[in-house]
């Protein structure tokens, strides 16, 4: 099986990270911002797995990537619950309209 060179994997991770940051900074919808954050997490995971291929202890990067995926899943669940409550209260998921945090 042919292995992807490290540079290509790092470039893909950089592109994913850049797209995630662009989505977080430009989108005004809460769900889109959450998707951008997930892209950033996936770019970090890709870097962890890529660098762990060149580590003598091969399992460390993959284990840390699994931990990051677990944290990302929990973050997504909590964030979606917050977005649902904000939508219930404000009747919108647009971030510029959600400007009050007191209930």
């Amino acid at each position: 099986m042919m292995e992807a060179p490290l540079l290509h994997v790092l470039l893909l991770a950089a592109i994913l990270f850049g797209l995630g940051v662009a989505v977080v900074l430009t989108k005004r919808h809460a769900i889109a911002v959450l998707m951008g954050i997930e892209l950033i997490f996936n770019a970090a995971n890709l870097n962890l797995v890529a660098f762990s291929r060149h580590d003598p202890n091969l399992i460390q990067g993959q284990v840390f990537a699994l931990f990051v995926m677990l944290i990302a899943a929990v973050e997504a669940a909590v964030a979606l619950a917050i977005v649902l409550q904000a939508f219930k209260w404000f009747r919108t998921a647009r971030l510029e309209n959600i400007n009050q945090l007191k209930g």
Side-chain angles (χ1 to χ4, degrees):
M1 186 161 100
M2 197 166 117
E3 189 174 311
L6 180 63
L7 180 63
H8 293 166
V9 177
L10 294 179
L11 282 175
L12 177 63
I15 291 169
L16 278 177
F17 185 81
L19 286 173
V21 169
V23 167
V24 167
L25 293 178
T26 58
K27 296 296 179 183
R28 300 289 180 231
H29 197 274
I31 302 296
V33 171
L34 287 176
M35 290 169 50
I37 291 171
E38 292 299 320
L39 277 177
I40 293 170
F41 277 141
N42 286 328
N45 278 341
L46 197 55
N47 278 336
L48 287 170
V49 171
F51 281 122
S52 73
R53 295 282 298 165
H54 299 282
D55 189 5
N57 302 323
L58 288 176
I59 195 75
Q60 291 175 344
Q62 284 94 352
V63 170
F64 196 62
L66 283 174
F67 182 72
V68 170
M69 287 191 317
L70 175 73
I71 297 298
V74 171
E75 171 264 336
V78 171
L80 283 174
I82 291 172
V83 168
L84 284 175
Q85 287 300 316
F87 183 79
K88 189 175 173 184
W89 184 261
F90 293 103
R91 295 288 178 207
T92 184
R94 299 191 60 83
L95 294 176
E96 66 264 12
N97 296 337
I98 302 172
N99 54 10
Q100 296 176 344
L101 293 179
K102 57 184 175 183

